[in-house]
Amino acid sequence: MQKSECHRGVQMRNRLTDNCDQRTSSSVQVKHGTPVQQSKSSSSTSSPESARKLHPRPSDKLNPKTINPFGEQPRAPSAFAAIYSKGGIPCRLVHGSVKHRLQWECPPEKLPFDPLLITLAEGLRETKHPYTFVSKEGFRELLLVTGAPEKAVPLLPRLIPVLKAALVHVDDGAFERGLDALVQLSAVVGPSLNDHLKHLLTSCNPVTT
């Protein structure tokens, strides 16, 4: 009897020891897994996006798409560029290997000067290609057609302010194109330009220091 009772006591002790070992190992696994979960949670809360979601700025609610006033803003196309893009100028630039040229939709002598000549004169203030070439060459070729003096003289009161705007432009290229156009116009209309020269004197006066 004593031996059987001792044997049963040893078995119970062994079972208790096994249960304690299993509980200890499981607790060790849980403790090892806890830091990983804590690191994931800490990293998720420390990211800028989560922080922004948890603590949104007042400006985000008021205007989330604020435009930078100091950044480069898109500019609307000029009047000449808009007219040219819509086909309002009856010619197109043809790129050549050596030099460019204009291709007219119909012979220039059949085109009305009003308002085409004035529109080309307004394009002399452009600073980007192809508008610079189209306006300069188109103005020159239109003044070469037969009957150009009779068509250009009535337009002088409206042409002179436009040419003056090119002459006072801050861009040197625009000034040169305006001056060339004035010389070409003078050769075509002759003395009819004299009455309008007083409006150009302030533009052509050299700057003195």
Side-chain angles (χ1 to χ4, degrees), residues 117-119 121 139 152 155-164 185:
L117 188 64
I118 299 174
T119 303
F139 190 90
L155 300 178
L156 288 178
R158 296 160 59 190
L159 272 174
I160 297 304
V162 177
L163 293 178
K164 179 180 178 179
L185 183 64

Side-chain angles (χ1 to χ4, degrees), residues 93-101 129-130:
L93 174 63
V94 178
H95 293 85
S97 58
V98 179
K99 58 185 299 184
H100 307 319
R101 64 181 181 87
H129 184 78

Side-chain angles (χ1 to χ4, degrees), residues 23-183:
R23 291 178 180 178
T24 304
S25 61
S26 62
S27 63
V28 170
Q29 291 179 357
V30 171
K31 290 181 180 180
H32 281 295
T34 303
V36 176
Q37 296 177 354
Q38 291 179 353
S39 63
K40 289 183 179 179
S41 61
S42 63
S43 62
S44 61
T45 55
S46 61
S47 62
E49 295 181 358
S50 60
R52 192 179 298 111
K53 292 179 181 179
L54 294 175
H55 304 285
R57 296 175 299 179
S59 59
D60 293 339
K61 297 180 179 180
L62 296 175
N63 193 2
K65 295 183 179 180
T66 305
I67 299 176
N68 183 10
F70 301 102
E72 184 178 355
Q73 304 298 331
R75 295 182 179 180
S78 63
F80 182 83
I83 293 174
Y84 181 79
S85 62
K86 294 179 181 179
I89 310 297
C91 63
R92 283 294 177 268
L93 174 63
V94 178
H95 293 85
S97 58
V98 179
K99 58 185 299 184
H100 307 319
R101 64 181 181 87
L102 291 181
Q103 181 177 358
W104 295 88
E105 296 178 0
C106 63
E109 56 269 12
K110 294 183 179 181
L111 295 172
F113 275 35
D114 189 8
L116 181 56
L117 188 64
I118 299 174
T119 303
L120 291 170
E122 291 176 346
L124 298 173
R125 290 174 289 172
E126 295 289 336
T127 57
K128 295 182 179 179
H129 184 78
Y131 312 125
T132 52
F133 181 84
V134 172
S135 60
K136 177 182 178 179
E137 187 65 17
F139 190 90
R140 185 187 71 84
E141 293 186 10
L142 205 60
L143 289 178
L144 294 178
V145 302
T146 303
E150 292 78 9
K151 297 179 181 180
V153 169
L155 300 178
L156 288 178
R158 296 160 59 190
L159 272 174
I160 297 304
V162 177
L163 293 178
K164 179 180 178 179
L167 292 173
V168 298
H169 201 281
V170 295
D171 183 73
D172 293 339
F175 170 79
E176 293 176 1
R177 287 187 293 273
L179 188 59
D180 292 340
L182 181 60
V183 172

Side-chain angles (χ1 to χ4, degrees), residues 1-13:
M1 294 293 291
Q2 294 179 354
K3 290 182 180 180
S4 61
E5 291 178 356
C6 291
H7 181 69
R8 290 178 183 176
V10 171
Q11 289 180 349
M12 292 179 65
R13 190 183 299 111

